[in-house]
Amino acid sequence: MEKFTKWRDEGTGLAPFFQNSFEIESPKCFFLIFGSFLYIIRHLFIFFLFINYFIFVHMLLSPIFQPIFPRLVHFVKKIFIGSVFFLCGISLSSVQINYTKKKKIFPCAQNIIISCYCSPLDILCLSFNYNPIFTISFSNTSFVQHVSGIKALFYTFSMPERSPYKNYMTLDSLSKLYPNRIICVFPEGTTSNGSGLLLFTQSLESVAPKTKIFPLSIKYGNYLTTPLPRSFFKFLFRFTFKLRHNFQIKISETPIIVEHPEKLREIASAALSRLSKVPRLGLGVNEKISFLKAWKTFSKC
């Protein structure tokens, strides 16, 4: 893999675009048989839950009742997402953000949550806790694309893009369009394997002054990350094959108050890096696009 060394971070030597390995637990014979059983059963239930979610929640419930009964919609979503977590061996207490009595500041309407973007599990965790407005960031513009939770989920398996092609707007405009919702931004603009924090895009520069931004860290096994496109079935296999998964979610106790949007990228990146306890890297969306082109050529050889 020497030909891919230029896509390693110069300061840390980390390679954020490679897929992490997945190992079967010992004794391997037992877990191979037991894991195969879990894989089949969980796949059937997840498929059933997804079809019902797409039809009854995404297509019917959300468009009609979200403006009127937002808590009801969020509650129904939590039931579906919580069922997936429970089914796949994830404790609901580990994906639930518990606020202490001392903590009086927490995300609310018109606030922004920024998070790392490593796999579909980030989307599920955020939907479970906040039911936010999801966005996609791009490297060549400060505009973001407003997307549904399902599209944000499947974007983790897609080739990153340098600019949006539709539904693009500033975060300030999006906040005014949905004054009663929290907005979720993934400033990296693409997924990584979780080893470090990618360069932030320009999306946060379109935030209105005085906006509160909450960095949020979601930690889980790095074998569940999806840095490479078209890794849906590989992710699903790893997610359903293993008996249980460990999760850890933390949110910053003090939000970032936007004063100078042009300096926000540096401030937000440093804050999320400290919270997630991962180093900041000198690679971003543009580097990943060039990496994937080289990877595609290498795979054909």
Side-chain angles (χ1 to χ4, degrees):
M1 293 292 180
E2 291 183 4
K3 62 175 67 179
F4 295 104
T5 53
K6 73 175 185 177
W7 288 287
R8 287 185 177 272
D9 179 62
E10 292 183 0
T12 62
L14 296 173
F17 305 138
F18 286 98
Q19 181 73 62
N20 292 307
S21 60
F22 175 70
E23 295 183 1
I24 299 175
E25 299 176 59
S26 296
K28 290 189 176 181
C29 290
F30 171 77
F31 280 103
L32 191 61
I33 297 171
F34 184 62
S36 300
F37 172 75
L38 289 176
Y39 172 80
I40 295 170
I41 297 300
R42 286 171 170 175
H43 264 68
L44 293 174
F45 275 98
I46 289 175
F47 179 76
F48 172 78
L49 287 170
F50 177 78
I51 294 298
N52 281 274
Y53 178 90
F54 184 80
I55 295 174
F56 296 109
V57 180
H58 182 72
M59 299 296 293
L60 298 176
L61 189 65
S62 289
I64 298 173
F65 292 103
Q66 178 64 52
I68 309 171
F69 303 111
R71 292 186 178 181
L72 172 64
V73 175
H74 187 197
F75 177 73
V76 174
K77 287 184 178 181
K78 289 187 76 167
I79 292 175
F80 277 91
I81 297 171
S83 298
V84 173
F85 284 145
F86 179 77
L87 179 67
C88 293
I90 298 173
S91 169
L92 295 184
S93 61
S94 66
V95 296
Q96 179 75 48
I97 298 177
N98 297 313
Y99 298 102
T100 62
K101 292 182 179 180
K102 294 181 180 180
K103 183 175 173 56
K104 297 181 180 180
I105 301 177
F106 52 88
C108 57
Q110 294 192 324
N111 291 166
I112 290 176
I113 291 176
I114 59 171
S115 174
C116 298
Y117 201 28
C118 295
S119 84
L121 297 177
D122 301 326
I123 310 298
L124 294 177
C125 287
L126 286 161
S127 295
F128 183 82
N129 284 286
Y130 297 109
N131 188 29
I133 295 291
F134 286 104
T135 63
I136 295 174
S137 299
F138 304 89
S139 62
N140 291 353
T141 178
S142 60
F143 288 109
V144 297
Q145 184 179 357
H146 169 214
V147 295
S148 66
I150 290 179
K151 186 166 184 178
L153 187 149
F154 281 105
Y155 191 74
T156 60
F157 306 113
S158 304
M159 182 83 170
E161 300 172 5
R162 289 190 170 94
S163 57
Y165 60 93
K166 65 177 182 179
N167 295 337
Y168 57 88
M169 60 183 68
T170 64
L171 287 171
D172 184 21
S173 300
L174 188 61
S175 180
K176 292 175 181 177
L177 187 62
Y178 296 96
N180 299 318
R181 302 285 296 277
I182 295 171
I183 296 175
C184 181
V185 180
F186 302 103
E188 295 168 289
T190 186
T191 56
S192 71
N193 60 18
S195 59
L197 195 64
L198 301 181
L199 289 173
F200 275 18
T201 60
Q202 307 169 48
S203 57
L204 291 178
E205 295 179 4
S206 66
V207 174
K210 306 301 180 183
T211 301
K212 292 181 180 179
I213 298 177
F214 289 83
L216 182 141
S217 168
I218 304 174
K219 290 278 193 177
Y220 42 83
N222 58 15
Y223 56 87
L224 290 172
T225 58
T226 57
L228 296 175
R230 296 181 291 277
S231 56
F232 173 75
F233 292 105
K234 181 180 288 186
F235 165 79
L236 203 57
F237 169 77
R238 295 180 174 191
F239 187 47
T240 57
F241 188 87
K242 198 169 183 180
L243 180 61
R244 61 175 62 91
H245 308 280
N246 295 320
F247 264 69
Q248 183 183 19
I249 301 181
K250 293 186 297 182
I251 191 164
S252 176
E253 295 184 0
T254 54
I256 301 168
I257 309 296
V258 178
E259 295 181 356
H260 303 285
E262 66 278 1
K263 299 179 181 179
L264 187 55
R265 269 198 290 179
E266 176 67 22
I267 297 171
S269 178
L272 186 56
S273 175
R274 286 194 302 270
L275 183 68
S276 303
K277 296 182 180 179
V278 294
R280 291 192 290 169
L281 308 178
L283 304 170
V285 174
N286 292 331
E287 288 76 17
K288 183 173 179 179
I289 291 174
S290 62
F291 166 81
L292 291 175
K293 289 179 180 178
W295 182 264
K296 185 177 181 180
T297 303
F298 173 78
S299 300
K300 289 181 179 179
C301 297

